[in-house]
Amino acid sequence: MKDVKNYIEENKQRFLDELFELIRIPSISAESEHKDDMVRCANKWKEFLLAAGVDKAEVMPSAGNPVVYGEKTIDPSKPTVLVYGHYDVMPVEPLAEWRTKPFEPEVIDGKIWARGADDDKGQSFMHAKAFEFMVKTNQLPCNVKFMLEGEEEIGSGSLYGFCEEHKELLKADVILVSDTSMIAQDVPSITSGLRGLCYWDVEVTGANHDLHSGIFGGAVANPINILCKMIADLHDENGHITIPGFYDDVLVISDEERALMAQAPFNEEAYKKELDIKNVHGEKGFTTKERTGIRPCLDICGIWGGHTGEGSKTVLPSKAYAKISTRLVANQDYEKISELFKNYFEAAAPDCVRVKVTPSHGGAAYVAPLEMTAYKAAEKAMQETFGKRPIPTRSGGSIPIVAGFERILGIKSILMGFGLGSDDIHAPNENYPLYNFYKGIETIPYFYQYFTEMSK
Amino acid sequence: MKDVKNYIEENKQRFLDELFELIRIPSISAESEHKDDMVRCANKWKEFLLAAGVDKAEVMPSAGNPVVYGEKTIDPSKPTVLVYGHYDVMPVEPLAEWRTKPFEPEVIDGKIWARGADDDKGQSFMHAKAFEFMVKTNQLPCNVKFMLEGEEEIGSGSLYGFCEEHKELLKADVILVSDTSMIAQDVPSITSGLRGLCYWDVEVTGANHDLHSGIFGGAVANPINILCKMIADLHDENGHITIPGFYDDVLVISDEERALMAQAPFNEEAYKKELDIKNVHGEKGFTTKERTGIRPCLDICGIWGGHTGEGSKTVLPSKAYAKISTRLVANQDYEKISELFKNYFEAAAPDCVRVKVTPSHGGAAYVAPLEMTAYKAAEKAMQETFGKRPIPTRSGGSIPIVAGFERILGIKSILMGFGLGSDDIHAPNENYPLYNFYKGIETIPYFYQYFTEMSK
């Protein structure tokens, strides 16, 4: 890949300016008021793909937010890489904790600060620019397809149907995704596994209206107290999840594989210091990396009820709510888990309250075998640009659609992400180092080169 | 009390119009944005007291919201009744559940609908109008003082100091309060006991910022999960509060007194139907009336943390919050309980989180002996206007300042309230029946008459 460094150097400010145009569109898929922003963002992507050199690009309808599709065919006998990314972003609250405006990207201390700077506008845009480089310098070695969806952060609900409907259009040899992190800037890694996800909305109702906590307190169930008890009961004293059958399908990892994983560099003291916690907390019998890599977990992502404003209102509320999620590991079926939890939690409610569980979204876990061609190509590409062999890691995060691609399209994905754990995706002050942004653009063309060569 | 019914009949619309002027001022003491409304409301009260016939009225400064004071002395050798009420009201959220606008009072189905309609604008204003009647018809039998505060709903924080400072000014033989309920419109009752209150704000901190629930979930403590567990652990399986020493000072009620209390009319099936609950819920070994009347309890008045908006954000939050209150019974010292809880809850935190407990406010429980003159006068007054002997009841609610009056001023209070359990004070759709409003105005002058006669 001749002159890739020069090309980046000459165009670095333009790359950033273009990315900022994408970031400034507040494409928050979880909030319905941003419907128009989703369409604006999709159209902006189409514009950028055309400018980068695709033969054609389209904003295609789905059951929900539109999907951006683009392709360039140089020779049907050559392999095809399908680049997947998402143009939607997470909500931004709590706003007060942002040091910059979430949709006004700024470069401070060598990092881009904005919602979507990493996840996934920054990471997916690297692919547009790497592709542009290969086209403009006549070095594109294979065919390329792009697919950018607008619902990844809410579970990719419409993309499953879109894939079913467009199997022919989406035919490819591998799906290339940059939506994950590396261990560190000087410790490149490739994500060889992802956890699955299952998410529910829970509503607990006591009396039919808010009551005076003095007149009724002690005699009428408080839905917050009950919800807390029900949530507490979801874990036992060893940090195991108590839902009957929850672990039934979890594959036991061999001692050998655990020993291999333990070799990945990890400094627990630095981890605790970075998070400002005295101690880690999780399932007994597993290390921190195992707890997020190979074991499922259950977290309350949100809870609310009663008086949450200023001052001390004495109220016995009628309702309490929670958003509950589990991360699943390979072989756990998210639809089975979804049903399991709903039945268990609703049945666990005492007769003084009513409990309603609404399944939200979910997806299966995913594992990429280290023997597959795309893994080897990615490994070699990163070795080329980072000067080090990347380490395979299992991420605790989920990209449910990746398991969906395998199931529906029969195509494996390679998760060559360039983010960092400190990028604070999904949180206030999301950021993405310029180093990683440009290093990604530099590395991607080598993946195309090696993947094409190895596929022969 | 000659012609009281006629006087009410002739002035009923004006009484209502004047009350509505008070209600329209959104004097929410818990919300600092309403500071100016507190002052406006106090001045409106001063205006009404002067119009009703006091010798003098003043809006007096306190450490917080001002106190309205008024007095009329007819003869220093006669008894003095000090009327206490409060002009502040509770917050109004959740706004969506109100059928009318909370600060635009309307009369529908014979009831006033508005925040403060009962608690305590409606109830305290009856005293202004009963006083006006006695003055205008030359039937006032004793001296009267008025004291209306603006912080009752947030714990009367400044009134304790105000009482300390103005002991001489506030000298009286009894304090007359209408801020409680009767059993029913046709079952008059007098509140002979109130529970005390203790309230805390709790903050649980995990990591120093919100984290991605996939990358960190399972390895880093989720402050919501931890808070739920800590809250759940505050009760055992019998509904007892587990804080060591919490029950130490609770007086055991004799079987005889429990049997007497059990005679008060109470229909548990109707109670459950009214609240739309399948079952009541509380401490084992006590009836519903005992659970609210003679036993302490602990309720979560508010909880929040993580993503509480639309959609399904996957986040492992940095913080979780709760507002926790207990209702106390006679002989429990709220300052001791406040300290007990703070120490216990902070110490109960596992080392993966930090827990901060901020005591908010509190007050002691109160008991009015049935033998005191004011109780007998109130009993006779209600007998006169309702045609039935009122039943003494222990309320589950708290008016902490009532115990404060006894401690600081050495004056007992008589709780002659005219509200109903269905008035939904502290909740959306607060209301106050016109029947109760006018019946209160009719009854109060008889209290003055009998109290003056019996005090001779």
Side-chain angles (χ1 to χ4, degrees), chain A residues 212-253:
Chain A
H212 188 289
S213 72
I215 310 296
F216 295 93
V220 176
N222 182 325
I224 303 179
N225 290 59
I226 301 283
L227 176 60
C228 287
K229 169 82 172 126
M230 291 179 70
I231 286 171
D233 286 347
L234 289 172
H235 287 95
D236 69 14
E237 67 282 8
N238 293 319
H240 289 294
I241 294 159
T242 55
I243 304 163
F246 183 82
Y247 292 100
D248 280 3
D249 299 328
V250 172
L251 294 180
V252 178
I253 305 287

Side-chain angles (χ1 to χ4, degrees), chain A residues 93 195 199 208-209 213-214 217 219 222 275 279 281 299-301 303 305 307 311-313 323 327 351 396 424, chain B residues 93 195 199 208-209 213-214 217 219 222 275 279 281 299-301 303 305 307 311-313 323 327 351 361 396 424:
Chain A
E93 87 270 16
R195 287 200 285 189
Y199 201 107
N208 52 2
H209 64 293
S213 72
N222 182 325
L275 300 174
N279 219 335
H281 179 78
D299 271 293
I300 312 304
C301 293
I303 193 165
H307 181 62
S312 54
K313 186 179 176 188
K323 290 174 186 280
R327 297 285 170 165
D351 69 352
D424 284 340
Chain B
E93 86 270 15
R195 288 200 284 189
Y199 201 106
N208 52 1
H209 64 293
S213 73
N222 182 324
L275 300 174
N279 218 337
H281 178 80
D299 270 292
I300 312 303
C301 293
I303 194 167
H307 181 62
S312 52
K313 186 180 175 187
K323 289 173 186 279
R327 298 285 171 166
D351 69 353
H361 70 280
D424 284 339

Side-chain angles (χ1 to χ4, degrees), chain B residues 107 134 139 173 201 203 255 263 287 322 399 410:
Chain B
V107 174
M134 292 184 284
Q139 296 185 82
D173 296 281
D201 285 293
E203 180 188 292
D255 288 349
Q263 288 173 13
T287 67
I399 314 178

Side-chain angles (χ1 to χ4, degrees), chain B residues 340-362:
Chain B
L340 214 59
F341 174 79
K342 181 179 162 65
N343 293 342
Y344 171 71
F345 205 71
E346 289 183 347
D351 69 353
C352 53
V353 297
R354 279 165 292 154
V355 171
K356 198 175 108 189
V357 173
T358 309
S360 171
H361 70 280

Side-chain angles (χ1 to χ4, degrees), chain B residues 185-249:
Chain B
Q185 281 187 339
D186 58 349
V187 188
S189 59
I190 295 168
T191 303
S192 59
L194 288 168
R195 288 200 284 189
L197 177 71
C198 216
Y199 201 106
W200 305 267
D201 285 293
V202 164
E203 180 188 292
V204 180
T205 306
N208 52 1
H209 64 293
D210 285 0
L211 302 174
H212 187 289
S213 73
I215 309 296
F216 295 93
V220 176
N222 182 324
I224 304 178
N225 289 60
I226 300 283
L227 175 59
C228 287
K229 169 80 173 129
M230 291 179 71
I231 286 171
D233 287 347
L234 288 172
H235 287 95
D236 69 13
E237 68 282 8
N238 292 319
H240 290 295
I241 295 160
T242 56
I243 303 164
F246 183 83
Y247 292 100
D248 280 3
D249 299 327

Side-chain angles (χ1 to χ4, degrees), chain B residues 90-406:
Chain B
M90 272 279 157
V92 295
E93 86 270 15
L95 255 179
E97 290 185 21
W98 284 79
R99 287 183 292 265
T100 61
K101 290 187 182 154
F103 295 108
E104 270 308 322
E106 289 183 48
V107 174
I108 302 169
D109 297 337
K111 296 174 176 187
I112 307 162
W113 299 83
R115 171 59 82 231
D118 166 330
D119 180 18
D120 183 44
K121 287 175 177 172
Q123 292 222 52
S124 57
F125 198 65
M126 299 180 314
H127 288 273
K129 296 299 102 178
F131 171 74
E132 174 195 304
F133 157 73
M134 292 184 284
V135 171
K136 304 286 172 185
T137 60
N138 289 312
Q139 296 185 82
L140 184 66
C142 63
N143 308 307
V144 185
K145 294 177 176 178
F146 283 93
M147 175 168 66
L148 296 128
E149 68 150 321
E151 299 182 12
E152 197 273 340
E153 300 295 13
I154 52 170
S156 301
S158 307
L159 198 61
Y160 295 92
F162 184 90
C163 288
E164 295 279 6
E165 217 176 306
H166 300 286
K167 283 182 186 170
E168 195 60 34
L169 184 75
L170 299 172
K171 270 193 170 166
D173 296 281
V174 72
I175 296 171
L176 177 59
V177 186
S178 292
D179 197 17
T180 49
S181 296
M182 308 187 299
I183 293 170
Q185 281 187 339
D186 58 349
V187 188
S189 59
I190 295 168
T191 303
S192 59
L194 288 168
R195 288 200 284 189
L197 177 71
C198 216
Y199 201 106
W200 305 267
D201 285 293
V202 164
E203 180 188 292
V204 180
T205 306
N208 52 1
H209 64 293
D210 285 0
L211 302 174
H212 187 289
S213 73
I215 309 296
F216 295 93
V220 176
N222 182 324
I224 304 178
N225 289 60
I226 300 283
L227 175 59
C228 287
K229 169 80 173 129
M230 291 179 71
I231 286 171
D233 287 347
L234 288 172
H235 287 95
D236 69 13
E237 68 282 8
N238 292 319
H240 290 295
I241 295 160
T242 56
I243 303 164
F246 183 83
Y247 292 100
D248 280 3
D249 299 327
V250 172
L251 294 180
V252 178
I253 305 288
S254 69
D255 288 349
E256 197 185 334
E257 190 166 347
R258 283 178 75 177
L260 207 68
M261 284 181 63
Q263 288 173 13
F266 178 65
N267 181 335
E268 191 152 288
E269 285 312 309
Y271 181 85
K272 290 194 285 188
K273 199 175 164 195
E274 172 75 25
L275 300 174
D276 191 20
I277 51 176
K278 260 199 199 158
N279 218 337
V280 294
H281 178 80
E283 194 183 3
K284 210 173 159 182
F286 294 93
T287 67
T288 290
K289 293 309 281 180
E290 287 172 346
R291 284 168 175 173
T292 60
I294 60 169
R295 297 296 292 175
C297 66
L298 185 149
D299 270 292
I300 312 303
C301 293
I303 194 167
W304 70 103
H307 181 62
T308 59
E310 199 187 344
S312 52
K313 186 180 175 187
T314 46
V315 64
L316 199 171
S318 164
K319 285 176 184 288
Y321 305 87
K323 289 173 186 279
I324 303 184
S325 85
T326 54
R327 298 285 171 166
L328 308 174
V329 294
N331 207 44
Q332 282 185 294
D333 177 24
Y334 81 92
E335 282 173 337
K336 184 175 156 188
I337 295 289
S338 179
E339 197 64 16
L340 214 59
F341 174 79
K342 181 179 162 65
N343 293 342
Y344 171 71
F345 205 71
E346 289 183 347
D351 69 353
C352 53
V353 297
R354 279 165 292 154
V355 171
K356 198 175 108 189
V357 173
T358 309
S360 171
H361 70 280
Y366 174 76
V367 176
L370 310 195
E371 303 76 32
M372 72 186 215
T373 305
Y375 185 88
K376 290 183 186 301
E379 193 175 41
K380 197 169 172 190
M382 290 185 100
Q383 164 99 49
E384 176 80 36
T385 55
F386 285 89
K388 279 182 190 176
R389 188 176 174 191
I391 296 171
T393 59
R394 294 254 184 135
S395 165
S398 308
I399 314 178
I401 193 67
V402 166
F405 291 151
E406 188 169 14

